[in-house]
Amino acid sequence: MKSVERSRGGGGEPARNRACYRCDRTVAPSALFRIEIAPPASLAEKYADAVRYCCEGCAAGMNLSDFSDRWEAAARPRDERSNG
Ligand SMILES: [Zn+2]
């Protein structure tokens, strides 16, 4: 294996701070959203799979963040509980 010297934007690196792809803010790996882009089969020839990393704020801004059940339960008003 040859060592790559400072290739920008290269993937496959171990966990380290990354820049949010939208706002360019440097985010710790523990707070990064990982967005995997997988094109549909019909467009797979045109588009490649890709991975983007973005910060919590941008994920929320894009409506990408989905809250866990625990958070949803905490945020949901008491009088609006559904019984199944
Ligand atoms: Zn961001």
Side-chain angles (χ1 to χ4, degrees):
M1 275 202 265
K2 65 178 182 180
S3 62
V4 182
E5 37 183 332
R6 283 186 163 266
S7 66
R8 293 189 308 164
E13 293 177 358
R16 51 181 287 194
N17 285 4
R18 287 179 180 275
C20 169
Y21 87 98
R22 294 191 85 215
C23 68
D24 253 0
R25 182 167 40 181
T26 302
V27 186
S30 59
L32 272 175
F33 278 72
R34 175 187 160 104
I35 305 166
E36 292 191 21
I37 296 96
S42 60
L43 294 174
E45 284 188 12
K46 187 175 180 182
Y47 296 98
D49 290 0
V51 176
R52 295 283 186 273
Y53 295 91
C54 80
C55 69
E56 182 182 0
C58 287
M62 289 185 291
N63 236 6
L64 285 176
S65 53
D66 203 357
F67 294 100
S68 69
D69 289 344
R70 183 179 299 187
W71 273 79
E72 285 188 340
R76 192 173 298 149
R78 282 169 187 263
D79 57 350
E80 199 184 329
R81 62 189 155 186
S82 60
N83 45 5

